[in-house]
Amino acid sequence: MMPMRRRLAIALGAALPALSALATPAMAFPERALTLVVPFAAGGPTDKLARELAASIGRALGGTVVVENVGGAGGTLGVARVARARPDGHTLLLYHIGMATSPSLYPKLPYDTLADFAYLGMVNEVPMVLVGRRTLPATDFTALARWLRDRKRRAVLADAGPGAASQLCGLLLQQSLGLRLTTVSYKGTAPAMADLLAGHVDILCDQTTNTAEPIAAGTVRAFGVTTPQPLSAPALAGLPTLHAQGLTGFDVSIWHGLYAPRGTPPEVVRALNAALRSALRDPAFVDRMQALGAVVVDDDRLDPEGHRRFVAAEIERWGRALRAAAR
Ligand code: MLT
């Protein structure tokens, strides 16, 4: 059955009583295609998630959602693009833990993370895997750690820039090993993974949604998952944790959330939140996430104010961790 197009009544306000008596005070939402900004390169984990969500959200709203990739500066360029967009619900942002880490990493962010956005709800949680090029001499984490200690600055860690999940994970890895490696930053982990597959860089810490398939295909070497517990998705089951291999307490799992610019009308926020809820309850979406090692959030994490409070707490938590890592 075709979904009902949501029509939102917009009051014209007390200043226009005569006009409101004559006109039909209703505006369609959506009025045109929505743009979902992905602040990383196409083909990477955020982009893959966005394309699945865009189709489902579009179906729920009875409209079209187009993905726009605005990569660079760890995702913050794309975030800034949405902060400046017209607050009418037609420009949305899908971003991850970088929403909480970038305030500590960029002294002059061109937006206020908590004040400049309408929070629409959380999406999922995604563990990460430390992977390496297939031609590395090390086949397990102990041998890799030894190799990295020998190579030091000659070993190359790929990431997606300050604020990216891969950078956060790579930073904590270097801190845990007591090492500084050479890092090469890309506009997303899709190009970073392409260079890893080509053997141009040595290691990458990336979300399971981007690593499960190359691990299953045997085109990268997997050295350990970043959560304290092993993962159950078939492509990832059996991989040891970094925690169990000597990096005691290593625990990085990232999350994604959906945002619109500050000032988006409450009716539109409600419509978008309802569309997100419906997208996340689509069994095909839930199955696909599970197969890639990700977990779709429960209903209680879809409350917009709860989402904002969670991000505020994450800004504090990661601020402390990043300050400690920089010491
Ligand atoms: C991406 O979509 O490319 C990633 O989320 C980048 C990252 O945060 O590591």
Side-chain angles (χ1 to χ4, degrees), residues 110-149:
Y111 52 82
D112 182 321
T113 304
L114 292 174
D116 286 349
F117 297 92
Y119 282 61
L120 300 175
M122 300 199 53
V123 176
N124 66 2
E125 291 208 358
V126 195
M128 303 183 81
V129 185
L130 175 64
V131 291
R133 63 178 162 84
R134 212 171 40 160
T135 49
L136 278 175
T139 55
D140 60 29
F141 180 71
T142 307
L144 176 72
R146 202 178 315 121
W147 186 80
L148 292 173
R149 285 201 172 93

Side-chain angles (χ1 to χ4, degrees), residues 40 44-46 96 160 164-166 188-189 207:
F40 295 107
T46 318
H96 58 28
S166 47
T189 50
Q207 296 160 61

Side-chain angles (χ1 to χ4, degrees), residues 30 32-38 47 50-59 61 63-70 81-82 89-94 258:
R32 56 184 188 284
L34 274 66
T35 299
L36 177 55
V37 172
V38 166
D47 182 72
R51 285 172 201 275
E52 302 229 8
L53 270 187
S56 273
I57 290 177
R59 271 195 300 279
L61 290 171
T64 305
V65 181
V66 178
V67 172
E68 179 184 324
N69 299 89
V70 185
R81 146 106 172 83
V82 177
H90 290 81
T91 308
L92 308 178
L93 167 73
L94 179 69
L258 192 66

Side-chain angles (χ1 to χ4, degrees), residues 9 33 58 64 149 157 179 185 188 258 269 308 310:
T64 305
R149 285 201 172 93
L157 165 73
L179 282 177
S185 294
L258 192 66
V269 168
R308 188 190 302 274
F310 173 76

